[in-house]
């Protein structure tokens, strides 16, 4: 339906002036509401309509064009000569200069500036402002500042295992010179927990770069221990989970240069490998829980140069052997080395012994659990540190019965420890709850001087850098954390060496005295109970009734208890006496 | 005029003074006791440095202004006294 209205005007009437007049309205079209259509709709009584009585606005973004600015230097060689003066011609310049000098402003300015300048010149001549007055005082101030500083440790960098399946960072080794690289060995130490997809690689990290490792070492089996060769910083030796020893050359890439023949290697993971001091710099030895200590020359890895079975009965019986977990070797004492066992014994051995039976010199026993770390004090090699079960103990080589000093029993297992290479009485321990303890035995012996919580998982390995400032610890999930410790803990104090030596000697003496005492008492007891023993022997020949057995057991028991009490009393007396004498000394 | 000469001469005769340069607002050395090449170098560099120092001081506090500039180096000390139109530069070897 079209609604059209025609409006007609004659052509001849165009242009004529308009003459408007009113008239009634004219209805052209009327459309009625269609009832059928109305049925399709229903009326809504009320509707919500948003209204706003505000001006309509539109949002636009405007951004000015960024001006790129760059810093540049301008080389200004010759001053801004005015147009008429040619700087090359001396005449012109002279004339110009003369003109300026005639200027009044010039005269006034120079006079004023002259006064200022003279003042400064005279100042300079009078006093040398950079003269050192308090040269010595400065040093003392620095030392005082250090002493007042709270010991603290700061995490500098964290290296995470880039693989999906996390492995334990079981061993760490610092690069021997420069200390900017850290080699970390990754493996899964839990029995049969290693999943098939676990990556065997170990990494060398550059401590500046935490995103990707500097070099990937690809062994045949995951590495449990890894050490840089102190003589040649390109060579690394690794002990792997299947007992083989392999060595890498970082110049040759990630594949091992050579691996030991599997028939002659260890039968258990090679928990520790250490480089030896030798002319060729290619000797090393390794140990594992199969009870053997093997010596290797890396030039010929087919078979070990020497073998030692850690059998305390000296019969070379592998079944009887003690299982070793860590080794210790100090280059200042090349003929001796020590082995820490799973049984809690430390065995001191002599390399140069002729027969294998003579190799084992003596054992030290005091720990209840496997010895995870064993290290001689870098300043006083006669004393060594063992870290095992819940304590860390310091031993003197001469005293075999017990340690000379020990930390208190901790709540968690201690997993690794090492001496500080710069301070004789400071050592570090890593614990199963993820904390690192710094012990300063000259300062405090009951508690660690500093406890730092590094991570939530157990810390399995700990290594301090040779300048004593940086500490690397490896955790159960393969995260290696670098900590920097405060200067107070790595600067050698004035008499520290002498004091530490005194302390160790004092403790050694105490232990010796106690040992002597114990021996005496034992002898006395034996002599006392010997006539008793003869009677008992006679009794035994007859028949023993249960009551007599009980009576005998009781008698023995009480004797032992009394002996223990006497010993304890003597010890406390001795300690009190020592404390008093210590106080007197202070 | 004579006072200017006298002032400059007096400064020159102080202990340790190596040389004097007077630079104008355009960086042209007006008066100098050093050789030409050194003078030109000093004038150019110090003029710019003084401008920069002055603007630094004034930016931090607009009421402030640069009164003196001293640069101590390993070998000697360069002292610059700025004025509205001129710069007086003295190079001195301090008492050592």
């Amino acid at each position: 339906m079209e609604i059209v209205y025609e409006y007609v005007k004659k052509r001849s009437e165009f242009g004529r002036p308009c003459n408007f007049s009113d008239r009634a309205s004219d209805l052209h079209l009327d459309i009625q509401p269609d009832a059928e259509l109305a049925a399709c709709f229903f009326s809504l009584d009320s509707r919500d309509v948003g209204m706003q009585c505000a001006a309509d606005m539109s949002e636009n973004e405007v951004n000015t064009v960024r001006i790129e600015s760059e810093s540049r230097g301008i080389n200004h060689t010759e001053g801004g000569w005015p147009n008429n003066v040619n700087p090359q011609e001396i005449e012109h310049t002279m004339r110009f200069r003369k003109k300026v000098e005639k200027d009044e402003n010039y005269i006034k300015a120079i006079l004023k500036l002259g006064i200022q300048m003279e003042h400064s010149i005279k100042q300079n001549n009078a006093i040398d402002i950079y003269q050192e007055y308090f040269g010595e005082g400065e040093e003392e101030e620095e030392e005082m500042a250090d002493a007042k500083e709270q010991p603290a440790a700061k995490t500098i960098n964290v290296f995470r295992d880039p693989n999906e399946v996390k492995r334990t960072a079981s061993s760490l080794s610092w690069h021997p010179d420069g200390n900017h690289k850290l080699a970390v060995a990754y493996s899964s130490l839990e029995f049969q927990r290693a999943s098939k997809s676990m990556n065997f690689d170990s990494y060398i990290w550059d401590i500046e770069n935490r995103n990707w490792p500097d070099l990937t070492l690809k062994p045949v089996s995951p590495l449990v221990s890894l050490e840089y060769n102190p003589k040649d910083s390109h060579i690394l030796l690794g002990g792997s989970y299947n007992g083989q020893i392999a060595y890498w050359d970082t110049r040759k890439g990630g594949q091992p240069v050579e691996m030991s023949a599997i028939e002659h290697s260890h039968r258990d993971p090679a928990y520790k490998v250490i480089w030896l001091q030798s002319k060729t710099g290619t000797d090393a030895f390794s140990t594992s829980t199969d009870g053997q200590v093997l010596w290797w020359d890396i030039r010929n890895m087919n078979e070990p140069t020497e073998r030692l079975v850690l059998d305390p009965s000296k019969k070379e019986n592998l079944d009887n052997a003690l299982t070793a977990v860590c080794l210790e070797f100090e280059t200042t004492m090349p003929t001796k080395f020590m082995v820490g066992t799973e049984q809690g014994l430390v065995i001191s051995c002599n390399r140069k012994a002729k027969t294998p039976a003579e190799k084992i010199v003596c054992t030290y026993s005091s720990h209840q659990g496997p010895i995870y770390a064993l290290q001689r004090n870098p300043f006083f090699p006669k004393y060594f540190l063992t870290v095992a079960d819940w304590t860390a103990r310091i031993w003197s080589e001469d005293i075999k019965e017990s340690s000379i000093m020990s930390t208190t029993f901790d709540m968690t297992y201690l997993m690794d420890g090492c001496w500080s290479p710069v301070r004789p009485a400071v050592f570090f321990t890593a614990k199963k709850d993820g904390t690192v303890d710094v012990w300063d035995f000259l300062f405090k012996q009951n508690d660690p001087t500093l406890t730092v919580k590094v991570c939530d998982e157990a810390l399995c390995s700990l290594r301090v850098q040779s300048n004593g400032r940086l500490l690397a610890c490896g955790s159960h999930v393969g995260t290696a954390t670098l900590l920097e410790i405060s200067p107070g803990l790595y600067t050698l104090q004035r008499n520290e060496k002498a004091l530490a030596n005194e302390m160790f000697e004092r403790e050694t003496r105490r232990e010796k005295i106690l040992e002597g005492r114990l021996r005496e008492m034992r002898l006395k007891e034996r002599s006392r109970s010997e006539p008793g023993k003869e009677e008992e022997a006679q009794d035994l020949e007859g028949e023993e009734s249960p009551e007599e057995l009980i009576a005998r057991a009781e008698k023995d028991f009480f004797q032992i208890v009394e002996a223990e009490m006497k010993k304890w009393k003597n010890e406390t007396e001795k300690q009190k006496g020592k404390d008093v004498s210590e106080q007197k000394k202070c | 005029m004579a006072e200017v000469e006298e002032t400059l001469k007096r400064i020159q005769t102080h202990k340790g003074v190596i040389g004097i340069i007077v630079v104008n607002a355009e960086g042209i050395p007006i008066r100098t006791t050093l050789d030409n090449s050194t003078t030109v170098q000093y004038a150019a560099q110090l003029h710019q440095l003084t401008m920069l120092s002055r603007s630094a001081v004034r930016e931090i506090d607009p009421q402030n202004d640069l009164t003196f500039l001293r640069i101590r180096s390993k070998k000697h000390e360069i002292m610059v006294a700025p004025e509205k139109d001129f710069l007086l530069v003295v190079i001195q070897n301090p008492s050592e």
Side-chain angles (χ1 to χ4, degrees):
Chain A
M1 179 184 65
E2 264 182 40
I3 305 175
V4 174
Y5 180 73
E6 278 184 21
Y7 177 68
V8 177
K9 188 166 184 178
K10 274 194 194 162
R11 187 69 179 74
S12 57
E13 286 174 9
F14 276 15
R16 288 233 187 126
C18 285
N19 203 1
F20 291 110
S21 61
D22 282 328
R23 70 173 169 116
S25 60
D26 197 7
L27 183 64
H28 291 283
L29 184 61
D30 186 15
I31 305 178
Q32 293 294 326
D34 192 350
E36 283 173 14
L37 284 180
C40 302
F41 299 88
F42 61 91
S43 66
L44 283 172
D45 280 347
S46 65
R47 298 211 43 206
D48 275 321
V49 176
M51 296 219 301
Q52 188 178 356
C53 186
D56 269 345
M57 310 235 243
S58 72
E59 191 181 311
N60 283 319
E61 270 182 32
V62 171
N63 200 0
T64 52
V65 173
R66 271 266 252 28
I67 302 176
E68 292 210 359
S69 63
E70 193 184 304
S71 286
R72 276 177 185 235
I74 308 177
N75 191 6
H76 180 182
T77 44
E78 186 76 46
W81 296 99
N83 288 344
N84 53 351
V85 179
N86 183 358
Q88 308 304 331
E89 285 211 25
I90 306 184
E91 276 285 321
H92 286 182
T93 53
M94 290 275 287
R95 231 186 299 146
F96 179 79
R97 286 200 176 108
K98 286 231 168 67
K99 196 173 67 161
V100 172
E101 284 185 354
K102 296 264 174 16
D103 186 21
E104 247 216 55
N105 275 340
Y106 175 80
I107 298 172
K108 260 193 263 174
I110 295 292
L111 289 175
K112 193 169 91 134
L113 295 177
I115 298 172
Q116 269 186 324
M117 189 59 80
E118 274 204 79
H119 180 73
S120 299
I121 292 174
K122 285 181 191 160
Q123 259 184 356
N124 273 346
N125 284 333
I127 298 179
D128 176 14
I129 61 175
Y130 292 117
Q131 187 183 16
E132 295 259 325
Y133 292 123
F134 305 112
E136 295 207 358
E138 271 176 45
E139 278 177 29
E140 277 181 33
E141 275 179 40
E142 276 178 40
E143 275 186 41
M144 293 267 290
D146 281 343
K148 284 187 213 150
E149 223 177 272
Q150 280 290 355
K154 200 167 53 157
T155 309
I156 298 188
N157 225 339
V158 178
F159 305 101
R160 286 179 220 280
D161 189 2
N163 304 309
E164 282 276 319
V165 180
K166 302 283 176 200
R167 308 149 301 162
T168 320
S170 44
S171 169
L172 302 160
S173 174
W174 284 97
H175 194 267
D177 10 86
N179 285 320
H180 45 250
K181 289 206 214 274
L182 182 64
V184 187
Y186 295 94
S187 60
S188 172
L189 288 173
E190 284 165 53
F191 185 62
Q192 294 186 345
R193 282 283 184 87
S195 65
K196 289 221 172 50
S197 58
M198 188 177 92
N199 197 344
F200 290 165
D201 298 339
S202 291
Y203 302 114
I204 299 184
W205 296 89
D206 184 332
I207 57 176
E208 306 290 317
N209 183 4
R210 49 141 81 179
N211 296 320
W212 59 86
D214 201 46
L215 183 62
T216 308
L217 303 172
K218 297 185 199 299
V220 163
S221 148
L223 288 179
V224 183
S225 65
L226 189 55
E227 285 286 326
Y228 264 104
N229 186 346
K231 292 263 173 65
D232 180 1
S233 52
H234 297 285
I235 311 266
L236 288 127
L237 190 66
S240 54
Y241 197 68
N242 65 357
Q244 279 180 301
I245 314 287
Y247 85 95
W248 278 263
D249 190 332
T250 52
R251 296 166 289 206
K252 298 203 184 122
Q255 293 293 335
V257 177
E258 211 181 324
M259 299 199 64
S260 61
I262 197 151
E263 318 84 68
H264 298 290
S265 309
H266 292 285
R267 285 175 182 67
D268 265 351
Y271 278 107
K272 191 94 182 164
V273 293
I274 296 192
W275 289 94
L276 288 172
Q277 178 90 318
S278 73
K279 278 185 236 128
T280 54
T282 53
D283 288 324
F285 66 149
S286 66
T287 184
S288 120
T289 39
D290 65 355
Q292 295 177 58
V293 178
L294 301 172
W295 276 263
W296 305 88
D297 182 342
I298 60 170
R299 293 169 295 190
N300 175 17
M301 293 288 249
N302 285 330
E303 62 167 9
T305 49
E306 225 183 309
R307 179 195 299 262
L308 168 66
V309 176
L310 294 169
D311 185 5
S313 63
K314 311 208 174 161
K315 286 204 200 91
E316 291 275 315
N317 192 352
L318 250 180
D319 299 323
N320 216 7
L322 296 168
T323 55
V325 187
C326 69
L327 274 180
E328 195 285 329
F329 176 74
E330 177 79 26
T331 47
T332 51
M333 295 186 153
T335 57
K336 290 198 274 192
F337 68 95
M338 295 199 286
V339 183
T341 62
E342 252 184 339
Q343 286 78 11
L345 295 174
V346 175
I347 307 177
S348 163
C349 310
N350 187 348
R351 258 183 89 192
K352 299 285 183 224
K354 295 288 182 287
T355 68
E358 281 174 32
K359 280 248 162 139
I360 300 178
V361 172
C362 56
T363 64
Y364 303 88
S365 77
S366 180
H367 280 291
Q368 277 91 0
I371 300 193
Y372 283 117
L374 180 57
Q375 194 188 7
R376 282 189 199 261
N377 188 323
F379 290 86
F380 305 108
K382 216 165 62 133
Y383 307 104
F384 58 93
L385 172 73
T386 59
V387 172
D389 56 58
W390 301 273
T391 60
R393 288 174 198 264
I394 301 183
W395 301 73
S396 159
E397 264 192 346
D398 312 319
I399 313 270
K400 305 186 187 12
E401 305 292 309
S402 68
S403 57
I404 58 172
M405 297 170 88
S406 157
T407 64
T408 50
F409 276 84
D410 205 271
M411 299 306 285
T412 56
Y413 234 64
L414 262 64
M415 302 296 293
D416 200 356
C418 56
W419 287 102
S420 162
V422 285
R423 287 189 62 183
V426 171
F427 63 92
F428 307 93
T429 54
K431 301 209 288 234
K432 209 160 180 150
D433 61 357
T435 54
V436 169
D437 281 344
V438 181
W439 295 81
D440 181 352
F441 257 30
L442 271 183
F443 179 62
K444 200 169 26 158
Q445 294 181 10
N446 295 332
D447 290 310
T449 308
L450 176 64
T451 308
V452 186
K453 179 131 177 104
V454 172
C455 54
D456 292 324
E457 312 83 39
L459 283 177
C460 297
S461 54
L462 183 72
R463 211 37 97 215
V464 69
Q465 202 194 40
S466 55
N467 62 8
R469 261 184 58 216
L470 292 180
L471 192 60
C473 35
S475 80
H476 191 68
V477 292
T479 313
T481 314
L482 258 190
L483 294 166
E484 175 174 1
I485 49 178
S486 58
L489 290 168
Y490 62 77
T491 40
L492 195 61
Q493 310 284 342
R494 254 173 280 171
N495 303 340
E496 200 170 328
K497 268 179 95 164
L499 286 171
N501 199 9
E502 247 186 72
M503 176 178 77
F504 289 136
E505 272 179 24
R506 187 180 63 219
E507 297 298 323
T508 324
R509 247 179 296 138
R510 175 178 65 90
E511 278 302 319
K512 253 198 219 133
I513 293 175
L514 284 175
E515 219 186 293
R517 266 288 166 137
L518 199 57
R519 238 179 288 142
E520 265 181 50
M521 282 169 40
R522 256 189 256 142
L523 274 171
K524 243 187 268 169
E525 267 183 55
R526 226 177 287 155
S527 57
R528 239 188 304 125
S529 62
E530 233 149 56
K533 267 200 193 141
E534 286 174 3
E535 290 173 17
E536 283 172 14
Q538 284 174 7
D539 271 346
L540 273 170
E541 286 173 61
E543 274 190 82
E544 270 192 332
S545 61
E547 292 96 42
E548 287 179 67
L549 271 173
I550 292 173
R552 189 155 58 92
E554 266 186 23
K555 204 172 33 159
D556 285 345
F557 175 67
F558 280 119
Q559 269 183 3
I560 293 172
V561 166
E562 267 175 65
E564 282 290 307
M565 282 196 45
K566 265 197 216 143
K567 190 173 75 160
W568 181 77
K569 246 189 255 165
N570 282 329
E571 261 188 53
T572 48
E573 267 177 45
K574 279 288 157 207
Q575 278 207 0
K576 270 195 218 149
K578 280 288 164 198
D579 283 340
V580 168
S581 64
E582 277 171 38
Q583 284 174 10
K584 281 192 191 153
K585 270 189 208 166
C586 295
Chain B
M1 196 47 214
E3 295 130 7
V4 168
E5 293 299 327
E6 202 197 301
T7 311
L8 293 176
K9 194 170 274 176
R10 204 176 50 235
I11 293 177
Q12 177 73 24
T13 51
H14 269 293
K15 180 171 147 217
V17 171
I18 300 174
I20 314 180
I21 308 173
V22 179
V23 186
N24 83 339
E26 275 109 42
I28 305 171
I30 305 290
R31 198 54 195 276
T32 174
T33 61
L34 304 166
D35 58 286
N36 197 29
S37 51
T38 323
T39 306
V40 165
Q41 268 189 320
Y42 268 112
Q45 299 290 345
L46 292 170
H47 184 252
Q48 288 184 49
L49 187 62
T50 317
M51 294 294 123
L52 207 57
S53 322
R54 179 181 277 137
S55 71
V57 169
R58 294 195 72 141
E59 271 212 39
I60 294 171
D61 179 10
Q63 322 292 51
N64 210 354
D65 196 6
L66 182 70
T67 52
F68 204 81
L69 185 63
R70 269 170 138 163
I71 303 165
R72 194 139 226 207
S73 73
K74 266 198 324 212
K75 298 193 183 163
H76 42 240
E77 178 160 336
I78 304 168
M79 293 179 275
V80 179
E83 229 328 273
K84 198 167 58 122
D85 295 324
F86 297 96
L87 228 61
L88 176 61
V89 178
V90 172
I91 301 137
Q92 185 192 22
N93 201 352
S95 59
E96 221 95 54

